[in-house]
Amino acid sequence: MANAVLYVHLETVSNLTVSYGMNADDFLAGIPDMPHHLLLLTPVNSQEMVDPHTGFNVISGVEDVERYLRDTKITPKKWIDYQHTLYLDQITPQEVAEMLYLGHAYNHLTPPFYYKLGNQYVYLDRPDGTQKIYYRNLDQFFVSLDHAIARHIREREVEQRFWRMLRNDTVAPLPDHLWVTLRPFLIDGVLFSFDEIRMHQKDYQIPLYRLRRKLLITDQTWLRGEDDLVGHLTYSRKQHTWRFESPTTERNGEDVDA
């Protein structure tokens, strides 16, 4: 079932996320301002604009940047934003080498936030279909994740009567204290299984799993293993509130309310 899962792994030390099932709209929903300039870490295309000092392709202008970010035909996307074209001339050969390594190995040698660039993000589409994104302000990611959860709920083809009830509703964002509860699971790596979403007394429940092995996606379908159910993220359509229910609290009739 295509794209019916959302996987998130959070690394707070490096301010990065690894995710599957999030798209450009989700990412852009979380950032306060559209970048003005991008330095592309993909192989250089001599037919496009090339910065003569660094040797990377560049995209400048908010409209061109947004067009590039939203274009689903352009894959993979690998880029660093920057504030001013003037400062590209100050990038050292060592910093160019670090960026080349980022684009090639999908990992950093040093924290990839450069004061000369003033970059807020590093975005890397990886060969396995996941995205690795470095955030200067990691809190922005949770806004993107909120957007992705709501989008997956609406895109999910569920029982017809249920869908008619949902389609005109606005899905409320998760409150901050619930993100605090979920944060340890996100750090471990957690999968939201929308293909198992179920309705219960006007609530809908999304199971969350901790994977025991690397996420495997075949034909955009999650290959289940012996994974651990860590709980359900439950949304009340009537009250427009979220709660998290772990297997223990479900047995005891308790939950963490939004």
Side-chain angles (χ1 to χ4, degrees), residues 75-258:
T75 58
K77 291 186 175 74
K78 296 187 281 188
W79 54 265
I80 300 177
D81 65 297
Y82 63 95
Q83 297 294 321
H84 303 289
T85 301
L86 178 66
Y87 295 143
L88 289 182
D89 290 343
Q90 300 179 20
I91 298 296
T92 66
Q94 174 62 31
E95 290 168 334
V96 170
E98 291 172 6
M99 295 178 201
L100 286 169
Y101 185 82
L102 263 174
H104 176 72
Y106 306 93
N107 209 345
H108 61 278
L109 293 171
T110 61
F113 296 103
Y114 301 93
Y115 76 91
K116 297 168 189 174
L117 297 180
N119 63 304
Q120 300 297 309
Y121 317 100
V122 178
Y123 186 103
L124 303 168
D125 279 336
R126 303 201 302 181
D128 62 0
T130 62
Q131 291 79 41
K132 176 182 278 191
I133 308 176
Y134 295 80
Y135 287 84
R136 191 178 289 269
N137 178 3
L138 194 56
D139 287 343
Q140 293 176 11
F141 173 73
F142 295 100
V143 181
S144 294
L145 184 52
D146 252 328
H147 188 275
I149 290 171
R151 177 179 59 80
H152 273 280
I153 288 170
R154 295 198 172 283
E155 290 179 353
R156 179 71 182 95
E157 293 181 1
V158 293
E159 187 268 325
Q160 185 64 30
R161 176 173 171 270
F162 175 32
W163 180 249
R164 284 200 299 268
M165 288 191 298
L166 280 177
R167 62 185 177 186
N168 294 320
D169 282 358
T170 298
V171 179
L174 276 72
D176 290 343
H177 73 84
L178 199 53
W179 283 126
V180 172
T181 300
L182 294 175
R183 195 179 185 93
F185 302 119
L186 299 176
I187 291 173
D188 287 343
V190 70
L191 185 139
F192 300 73
S193 181
F194 291 93
D195 60 355
E196 298 179 45
I197 192 171
R198 54 194 177 98
M199 190 75 170
H200 179 66
Q201 295 180 351
K202 296 188 178 180
D203 293 350
Y204 52 92
Q205 300 175 322
I206 306 164
L208 275 58
Y209 292 94
R210 181 187 293 112
L211 306 188
R212 294 190 180 183
R213 52 168 169 74
K214 183 179 178 180
L215 175 69
L216 295 175
I217 301 292
T218 300
D219 296 329
Q220 297 183 318
T221 300
W222 169 40
L223 296 181
R224 281 290 300 272
E226 296 297 324
D227 303 306
D228 300 322
L229 177 69
V230 298
H232 289 87
L233 193 58
T234 301
Y235 184 69
S236 169
R237 194 181 64 85
K238 182 177 180 180
Q239 298 178 349
H240 299 283
T241 55
W242 287 96
R243 65 182 183 273
F244 175 71
E245 301 165 311
S246 69
T248 301
T249 58
E250 287 171 351
R251 286 193 297 269
N252 296 336
E254 303 169 355
D255 54 48
V256 177
D257 290 321

Side-chain angles (χ1 to χ4, degrees), residues 27-36 62 65 69 81 120-121 140:
F27 172 74
L28 293 174
I31 66 175
D33 301 296
M34 185 69 63
H36 285 236
V62 170
V65 167
L69 295 180
D81 65 297
Q120 300 297 309
Y121 317 100
Q140 293 176 11

Side-chain angles (χ1 to χ4, degrees), residues 23-25 27-28 31 34-45 48-49 56-82 103 106 121-126 131:
N23 64 21
D25 287 341
F27 172 74
L28 293 174
I31 66 175
M34 185 69 63
H36 285 236
H37 308 281
L38 300 182
L39 198 67
L40 304 189
L41 303 181
T42 45
V44 176
N45 181 350
E48 302 293 341
M49 187 181 299
F56 292 114
N57 284 123
V58 293
I59 299 175
S60 290
V62 170
E63 291 183 359
D64 286 344
V65 167
E66 182 172 3
R67 187 178 302 112
Y68 167 82
L69 295 180
R70 293 190 184 277
D71 192 339
T72 57
K73 296 179 182 178
I74 300 176
T75 58
K77 291 186 175 74
K78 296 187 281 188
W79 54 265
I80 300 177
D81 65 297
Y82 63 95
Y106 306 93
Y121 317 100
V122 178
Y123 186 103
L124 303 168
D125 279 336
R126 303 201 302 181
Q131 291 79 41

